[in-house]
Amino acid sequence: TLFRSIVWTGDAPQHGSRYNGGAGDSHSGSTVTSSDFAYGAAQKNINMTFVPMNSSTDVMIAAMQKEFAEHAAVLTVSKSKDLIETVKETLKRTATMTCTKLPESVCGPDVHYDIDPLAKFGPERKNTEVLIPQSCPTVGGTHPLDILLVETPKMATEIRTIRLGTAPFAKGEMRYAFHCQMEATKFFRSWASEKWVAKCPIRARSKLGVRQMRIQNVARFMATEFCARTKKFPSPLNWKLEYVPVSLLKIVDKGREDYWMLEPHIPGTYVKYNNNYGAVMNALLPSNPLPQAFSHFSFEYSAGRLLICDIQGVFEDKRYILTDPAIHTLDPDSLKDDTNMSAKGMAAFFKTHVCNEACSLLGLPKRRDLADL
């Protein structure tokens, strides 16, 4: 993932009464707002750093940080007034957040689609196989997590008629997201969803979707264990955190067979709380301590074998509904994926993680020593 940085400084707030404490100097010559700017920064992975020259910008920055948080964008206020030192530190931090893309010879050529949020549905695809993961039985006292880490679950197959959007409505770092129409399966019935999302791997690689399904299944199990321990905590530390269930679509197109992830559509505003290389959306932390605590918990629960991050999804009614996690594993051959940074990813998380009240109530030890893994 390529991250960029913008560092700017100022000695006075921007136009607009909400940014200057109430003065009536709203400027009518532009339709672009700082909220629009925050949205663009989030879409392009731009981290913003502001260096205040005096206290007159405090109200502006407080308002802008709320706007940036709404779009899961990062706006940091430098504690130093030394602009050159701030630029150096920002560039260093940005460089560590940028992951190297695998060469095409390893990945295969990327699949390319133009994004169209309003794309209509294409023709029916009859007799499409929906592969549904079955629960892994515990054998001989083996822990369920151990089974999830080493085995691909057995799959049941249901045949469905589906319709896919003619173009994806969104694109992430790893997948395109298409709207999907389909009659509900037994696997998804508890979600009572009428809309579905089918996710196509960007990088052409056989059965990549299978591996990504396994990653989300591990995260679903870990979220269940996490909530079992937090349900008696005071609010907001007892809010529910869960991952949507995923299965696979077997897509055959132009003689090529591929496996796409299929999951219920989650309505609402998507928010990213952290990424897979230590970046934390600090503006969101005061009111959302659970996502960071969950990442920390996953490391302790697994005895240091894995860490779940790239926490993202929708929050509604005291419930985090999440999808598309990344998992770092100490064994680099376990849960192989482009987002798995192994020990380096774990170190990056603990380098920026500050334990919060949820971490304390869970009894999670501080792990600053692991920042040098």
Side-chain angles (χ1 to χ4, degrees), residues 310-348:
D310 213 8
I311 311 298
Q312 58 192 305
V314 171
F315 178 79
E316 65 170 18
D317 193 25
K318 301 181 181 180
R319 181 181 175 212
Y320 295 91
I321 308 172
L322 306 174
T323 188
D324 289 342
I327 300 183
H328 303 311
T329 57
L330 196 58
D331 176 2
D333 292 324
S334 176
L335 298 180
K336 272 192 172 182
D337 189 72
D338 290 352
T339 59
N340 185 349
M341 308 297 291
S342 194
K344 289 184 178 180
M346 295 178 178

Side-chain angles (χ1 to χ4, degrees), residues 102-322:
L102 293 176
E104 196 169 275
S105 60
V106 175
C107 296
D110 286 1
V111 176
H112 176 74
Y113 293 99
D114 292 325
I115 306 300
D116 183 2
L118 301 178
K120 297 180 179 180
F121 285 99
E124 289 186 343
R125 292 171 176 257
K126 297 183 178 181
N127 300 317
T128 298
E129 293 184 26
V130 181
L131 285 72
I132 301 170
Q134 304 298 290
S135 299
C136 295
T138 302
V139 180
T142 305
H143 196 284
L145 180 60
D146 294 325
I147 298 174
L148 289 168
L149 287 175
V150 299
E151 293 185 12
T152 299
K154 293 182 179 180
M155 310 291 285
T157 302
E158 294 187 13
I159 304 299
R160 289 286 185 272
T161 296
I162 70 168
R163 295 178 69 195
L164 296 172
T166 54
F169 67 87
K171 177 187 178 184
E173 291 298 325
M174 303 295 296
R175 292 171 285 276
Y176 287 103
F178 289 76
H179 287 302
C180 178
Q181 287 183 341
M182 181 190 69
E183 180 187 353
T185 71
K186 293 179 181 178
F187 180 61
F188 290 124
R189 195 154 289 159
S190 62
W191 282 76
S193 178
E194 296 180 357
K195 298 181 179 179
W196 313 93
V197 176
K199 297 181 177 180
C200 163
I202 292 175
R203 293 171 180 85
R205 191 182 305 174
S206 177
K207 296 188 178 180
L208 178 60
V210 177
R211 295 205 297 274
Q212 293 169 342
M213 178 198 66
R214 288 183 60 204
I215 289 170
Q216 188 134 331
N217 283 341
V218 170
R220 287 193 75 205
F221 169 81
M222 193 68 71
T224 300
E225 295 296 300
F226 178 77
C227 290
R229 290 157 175 78
T230 60
K231 63 183 180 181
K232 293 185 179 180
F233 289 176
S235 182
L237 304 180
N238 62 353
W239 291 350
K240 192 169 184 180
L241 184 150
E242 61 185 316
Y243 279 87
V244 295
V246 292
S247 60
L248 297 175
L249 284 177
K250 185 177 180 180
I251 301 294
V252 180
D253 197 12
K254 297 179 181 179
R256 172 181 156 184
E257 183 180 288
D258 224 337
Y259 291 88
W260 294 18
M261 290 177 62
L262 177 69
E263 62 185 47
H265 175 258
I266 312 173
T269 302
Y270 267 66
V271 175
K272 184 188 285 276
Y273 297 94
N274 63 29
N275 76 355
N276 71 322
Y277 213 64
V280 183
M281 308 317 167
N282 290 313
L284 302 176
L285 280 179
S287 57
N288 294 275
L290 288 184
Q292 279 293 100
F294 173 66
S295 291
H296 188 173
F297 170 82
S298 67
F299 179 86
E300 303 300 339
Y301 182 95
S302 66
R305 290 181 296 164
L306 64 83
L307 188 145
I308 300 173
C309 54
D310 213 8
I311 311 298
Q312 58 192 305
V314 171
F315 178 79
E316 65 170 18
D317 193 25
K318 301 181 181 180
R319 181 181 175 212
Y320 295 91
I321 308 172
L322 306 174

Side-chain angles (χ1 to χ4, degrees), residues 88-107:
K88 288 180 179 178
E89 287 300 313
T90 300
L91 291 176
K92 182 179 178 181
R93 184 174 68 249
T94 302
T96 62
M97 290 166 60
T98 298
C99 308
T100 303
K101 180 179 176 181
L102 293 176
E104 196 169 275
S105 60
V106 175
C107 296

Side-chain angles (χ1 to χ4, degrees), residues 33-75:
T33 67
S34 56
S35 182
D36 297 326
F37 190 61
Y39 174 79
Q43 295 300 304
K44 296 181 180 296
N45 289 330
I46 299 175
N47 296 323
M48 307 294 298
T49 301
F50 180 72
V51 184
M53 296 178 66
N54 53 49
S55 61
S56 68
T57 56
D58 290 352
V59 173
M60 175 188 75
I61 290 301
M64 290 184 68
Q65 284 186 317
K66 290 181 179 179
E67 293 171 336
F68 271 62
E70 290 172 357
H71 298 289
V74 178
L75 173 57

